[in-house]
């Protein structure tokens, strides 16, 4: 049952030039992302998650290797890959409605269709009634809802999320996760989500890519075999907890203390 | 005291704390009143020589005499020169600053040069300008441009660089072409900051106009002041100073109003 491939990450390494020295950030990444699956990239801070995502977005070029989106090498950012950053990136001079409408205008969608699309997506992310607010009047969670609606409105093939809920409080975050899954079922897309929150990754993903650091590489890929109509209660399901323990163990092995024990043994 | 308008609230003196509009206004008025009161007492109690510092009453009388004379024309001339120099500077500097702040090669072309020019005191160009242009209106306007343009270009470039790169990147993922980013993202995002820079530069333009009018002019506030100095009329000099102060305040308020009306979305526009 071979599924259609959305992204092929092939022999990708990435080094940053720091002064005159090349500092390796990612080494030898090989990975395929299937169409319409939700992949979570999980790892500690500094392991290269954002670097990988930014290469998928086309903001960065791999040092070696190549990334293909639907068999085409990625040469730069494009409207086929929507992006949501952890830092709120709404256009502050536009209202909520105008923010969501922005991409549709850039793509020259006719006015009547724009209005209908904006209204639909604002409804889907639960922002009815906030159309005319400016971003500075919104809470962090609401800003991210707008950012998600804005990215979805132009109907990209995939959505790249870099710790989208990382700045939110625990309660808001879990609402946002449910909302995101809900929206994703309504508008199927390939979603690649970077996170350092294990529960978030298990709750949302079809597959989790666990990263190791220094330099970043893939430690293990875990299929999350949980029913798709997930809600908050699944977090206390024994299978959920088993995944959590498995991943905790993987990440613990990467911690400096565990590394030292391994060396000494 | 507690129930009065001046109760500031427990957090007023916390670092970076805020106070309400009403106590703010009251404190500001008190500051003006203190200066005015100090001036009144010093001069009326005879603590200073009235030849060098007039009493407020004498200043008001002098103002009355000046305004019934040609002072209104002086004010108008100074304002005209300031605005002419300022508007020309703004028309050149804002687009240039936008391009410099956005495109690295243009930055390399212009920024180092402007940083050099900026350190040349504008007033040092007066002899040159008088030789080149004469002492008519354009010489005064040239001085104002010399004083504001290089600074403004650099300030606008800095404002433009304050636009978070994330906004530019996100616009690419929404279908914006790199060639349109300047208009769609950078210009609207930096407008409130640019307006603030314009406001500051307008303040400097007032300094230059007065200097220009003191050196070679037959009208303007600065001209009136230098003439009064020759006749030892300190009251008139004080009227000139106060007039400039009030005009500055007026333009400042105007800018703040524009910012509030146009850029309410921004923290700058509050
Ligand atoms: N622009 C850059 N220049 C130099 N080093 C960078 C740059 N961006 C990231 N790095 C380094 O690359 C590594 C991976 O960074 P990043 O992808 O941001 O990690 P993560 O998102 O997992 O926290 C880190 O060690 C970081 O310091
Ligand atoms: Mg990151």
């Amino acid at each position: 049952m071979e599924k259609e491939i959305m992204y092929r990450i092939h022999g990708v390494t990435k080094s940053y030039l720091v002064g005159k020295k090349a500092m390796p950030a990612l080494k030898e990444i090989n990975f395929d992302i299937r169409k319409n699956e939700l992949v979570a990239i999980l790892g500690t801070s500094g392991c290269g998650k954002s670097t990988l995502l930014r290469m998928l977005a086309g903001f960065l070029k791999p040092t070696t290797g190549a990334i293909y989106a639907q068999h085409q090498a990625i040469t730069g950012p494009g409207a086929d890959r929507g992006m949501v950053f952890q830092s709120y990136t709404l256009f502050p001079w536009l209202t909520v409605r105008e923010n969501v409408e922005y991409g549709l205008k850039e793509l020259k969608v006719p006015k009547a269709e724009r209005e209908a699309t904006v209204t639909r997506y604002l409804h889907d992310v639960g922002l009815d009634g906030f159309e005319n607010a400016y971003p500075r009047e919104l809470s962090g969670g609401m800003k991210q809802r707008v950012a998600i609606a804005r990215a979805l409105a132009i109907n990209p093939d995939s959505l790249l999320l870099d710790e989208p809920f990382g700045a939110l409080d625990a309660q808001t975050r879990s609402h946002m996760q449910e909302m995101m899954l809900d929206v994703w079922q309504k508008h199927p897309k390939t979603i690649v989500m970077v996170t350092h929150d294990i529960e978030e990754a298990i709750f949302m993903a079809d597959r989790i890519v666990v990263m190791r650091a220094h330099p970043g590489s893939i430690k293990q890929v875990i299929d999350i075999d949980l029913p798709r109509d997930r809600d908050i209660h699944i977090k206390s399901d024994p299978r959920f907890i088993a995944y959590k323990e498995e991943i905790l163990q993987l990440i613990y092995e990467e911690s400096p203390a565990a590394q030292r024990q391994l060396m000494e043994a | 005291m507690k129930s009065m308008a001046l109760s500031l609230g427990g957090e007023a003196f916390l670092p970076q704390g805020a106070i309400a509009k009403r106590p703010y206004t009251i404190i500001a008025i008190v500051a003006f009143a203190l200066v005015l009161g100090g001036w009144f007492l010093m001069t009326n109690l005879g603590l200073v020589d009235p030849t060098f510092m007039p009493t407020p009453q004498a200043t008001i009388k002098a103002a009355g005499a000046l305004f019934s004379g040609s002072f209104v024309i002086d004010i108008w001339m100074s304002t005209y020169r300031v605005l002419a120099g300022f508007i020309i500077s703004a028309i050149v500097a804002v687009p240039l600053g936008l391009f410099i702040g956005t495109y690295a090669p243009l930055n390399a072309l212009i920024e180092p040069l402007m940083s050099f020019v900026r350190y040349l005191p504008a007033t040092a160009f007066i002899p040159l300008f008088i030789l080149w242009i004469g002492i008519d209106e354009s010489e005064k306007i040239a001085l104002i441009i010399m004083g504001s343009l290089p600074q403004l270009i650099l300030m606008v470039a800095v404002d433009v660089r304050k636009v978070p790169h994330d906004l530019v990147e996100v616009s690419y993922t929404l279908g914006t072409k790199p060639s349109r980013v300047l208009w769609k993202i950078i210009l609207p995002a930096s407008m409130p900051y640019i307006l603030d820079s314009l406001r500051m530069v307008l303040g400097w333009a007032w300094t230059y106009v007065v200097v220009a009018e003191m050196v070679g002019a037959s009208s303007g506030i600065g001209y009136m002041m230098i003439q009064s100095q020759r006749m030892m009329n300190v009251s008139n000099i004080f009227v000139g100073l106060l007039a400039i102060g009030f005009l500055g305040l007026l333009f400042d308020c105007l800018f703040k109003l524009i910012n509030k009306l146009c850029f309410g979305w921004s923290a700058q526009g509050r």
Side-chain angles (χ1 to χ4, degrees):
Chain A
M1 209 179 71
E2 179 72 6
K3 284 204 183 149
E4 202 181 327
I5 301 292
M6 186 69 196
Y7 292 106
R8 169 150 287 168
I9 303 169
H10 184 70
V12 164
T13 66
K14 177 73 192 174
S15 312
Y16 287 106
L17 267 185
V18 180
K20 283 180 181 159
K21 266 183 71 182
M23 299 291 283
L26 284 175
K27 133 187 138 173
E28 233 358 74
I29 308 279
N30 288 292
F31 188 63
D32 288 348
I33 296 171
R34 300 172 196 135
K35 193 170 159 64
N36 292 348
E37 77 170 332
L38 201 163
V39 170
I41 299 174
L42 181 69
T44 51
S45 136
C47 71
K49 306 183 296 291
S50 296
T51 302
L52 185 57
L53 200 72
R54 292 171 60 75
M55 288 194 291
L56 286 171
F59 297 140
L60 286 177
K61 290 195 169 47
T63 305
T64 63
I67 304 182
Y68 303 91
Q70 309 195 74
H71 311 294
Q72 301 273 328
I74 292 174
T75 54
D80 56 323
R81 280 154 290 144
M83 180 117 190
V84 176
F85 298 83
Q86 174 178 359
S87 63
Y88 311 117
T89 53
L90 298 185
F91 303 131
W93 61 95
L94 300 178
T95 62
V96 166
R97 169 168 281 279
E98 290 162 344
N99 261 283
V100 179
E101 198 181 12
Y102 177 93
L104 297 165
K105 268 188 170 167
E106 288 298 274
L107 298 176
K108 309 217 157 51
V109 175
K111 188 170 164 68
E113 196 185 328
R114 285 202 312 258
E115 307 246 303
T117 309
V118 172
T119 306
R120 182 168 74 242
Y121 282 99
L122 280 178
H123 175 77
D124 287 347
V125 297
L127 277 177
D128 302 294
F130 289 95
E131 286 86 351
N132 298 318
Y134 280 96
R136 57 175 281 219
E137 302 165 61
L138 303 179
S139 68
M142 284 156 80
K143 283 183 202 170
Q144 288 307 62
R145 285 170 197 263
V146 181
I148 290 165
R150 180 179 65 180
L152 285 170
I154 57 171
N155 196 22
D157 300 326
S158 54
L159 215 50
L160 308 173
L161 313 174
D162 194 349
E163 307 201 27
F165 314 135
L168 306 177
D169 61 86
Q171 177 116 32
T172 309
R173 187 186 310 185
S174 97
H175 284 311
M176 296 289 286
Q177 290 162 2
E178 285 188 305
M179 182 276 294
M180 189 73 235
L181 284 187
D182 198 47
V183 170
W184 178 55
Q185 314 262 269
K186 277 191 202 142
H187 312 276
K189 311 226 164 281
T190 311
I191 295 185
V192 184
M193 183 174 87
V194 161
T195 179
H196 59 243
D197 180 334
I198 298 177
E199 286 200 10
E200 179 168 280
I202 304 170
F203 181 67
M204 297 188 66
D206 294 314
R207 287 195 297 161
I208 299 178
V209 178
V210 181
M211 305 270 296
R212 70 158 69 87
H214 307 298
S217 58
I218 295 177
K219 184 172 172 75
Q220 195 161 324
V221 180
I222 298 172
D223 287 291
I224 301 299
D225 203 2
L226 292 171
R228 248 307 155 196
D229 54 340
R230 298 173 196 176
D231 62 17
I232 187 102
H233 301 294
I234 200 147
K235 290 187 182 175
S236 44
D237 188 295
R239 289 170 295 173
F240 190 97
I241 292 165
Y243 281 125
K244 198 169 150 185
E245 277 180 1
E246 181 184 353
I247 295 169
L248 270 172
Q249 178 59 33
L250 287 174
I251 287 179
Y252 175 73
E253 287 167 19
E254 288 303 311
S255 71
Q259 292 288 337
R260 220 173 307 129
Q261 276 181 5
L262 271 178
M263 299 276 271
E264 281 161 13
Chain B
M1 194 64 196
K2 225 180 175 163
S3 59
M4 280 180 59
L6 247 180
S7 76
L8 294 176
E11 303 187 342
F13 276 104
L14 282 179
Q16 305 187 321
I19 58 171
K21 205 174 172 105
R22 208 182 142 95
Y24 180 94
T25 314
I26 292 173
I27 293 174
I29 290 173
V30 166
F32 273 97
L34 279 179
V35 173
L36 199 66
W39 178 24
F40 183 86
L41 285 181
M42 270 204 327
T43 49
N44 280 285
L45 293 179
L47 297 178
V48 290
D49 186 344
T51 329
F52 296 117
M53 194 184 258
T55 60
Q57 306 92 295
T59 308
I60 292 172
K61 241 175 85 187
L66 278 173
F67 275 106
S68 54
S70 62
F71 192 47
V72 176
I73 295 173
D74 285 326
I75 291 180
W76 164 246
M77 281 313 294
S78 296
T79 310
Y80 157 74
R81 289 164 185 155
V82 163
L83 288 183
F86 171 75
I87 289 171
I88 293 171
S89 296
I91 288 175
V92 178
V94 172
L96 213 55
L98 274 169
F99 280 107
I100 292 173
T102 308
Y103 297 111
L106 289 178
N107 184 41
L109 182 70
I110 296 173
E111 174 151 22
L113 184 67
M114 282 302 138
S115 301
F116 171 74
V117 173
R118 177 166 78 124
Y119 279 101
L120 306 175
T123 45
F125 282 81
I126 292 177
L128 260 189
F129 284 165
I130 290 180
L131 282 178
W132 286 349
I133 312 173
I135 56 165
D136 59 1
E137 289 315 303
S138 16
E139 182 262 334
K140 287 155 200 76
I141 293 170
L143 180 71
I144 293 169
I145 294 175
M146 189 65 212
S148 5
L149 183 67
Q151 304 275 2
L152 192 55
I153 292 174
L154 295 177
M155 286 165 80
V156 173
V158 169
D159 293 336
V160 165
R161 288 197 204 98
K162 284 187 198 148
V163 176
H165 191 59
D166 285 354
L167 291 188
V168 174
E169 289 191 334
V170 97
S171 80
Y172 291 149
T173 70
L174 294 167
T176 304
K177 299 269 176 305
S179 59
R180 279 165 57 80
V181 160
L182 180 58
W183 310 113
K184 296 297 292 185
I185 306 297
I186 289 179
L187 179 63
S190 58
M191 256 340 266
Y193 301 107
I194 293 177
L195 199 71
D196 236 33
S197 296
L198 287 172
R199 184 171 68 92
M200 288 195 44
V201 168
L202 183 58
W204 303 341
W206 276 102
T207 312
Y208 293 116
V209 83
V210 171
V211 174
E213 289 171 350
M214 285 180 173
V215 176
S218 51
S219 63
I221 300 175
Y223 169 73
M224 183 281 280
M225 288 166 80
I226 202 82
Q227 289 297 318
S228 304
Q229 182 230 320
R230 287 182 189 132
M231 290 181 283
M232 290 291 283
N233 189 343
V234 273
S235 305
N236 280 2
I237 298 180
F238 266 64
V239 175
L241 284 173
L242 289 174
I244 295 168
F246 281 120
L247 283 169
L249 207 60
L250 186 75
F251 280 108
D252 224 59
C253 289
L254 211 65
F255 264 96
K256 283 188 176 150
L257 189 71
I258 296 175
N259 220 337
K260 200 166 179 164
L261 291 179
C262 303
F263 307 119
W265 52 264
S266 141
Q268 295 289 311
R270 260 183 286 187

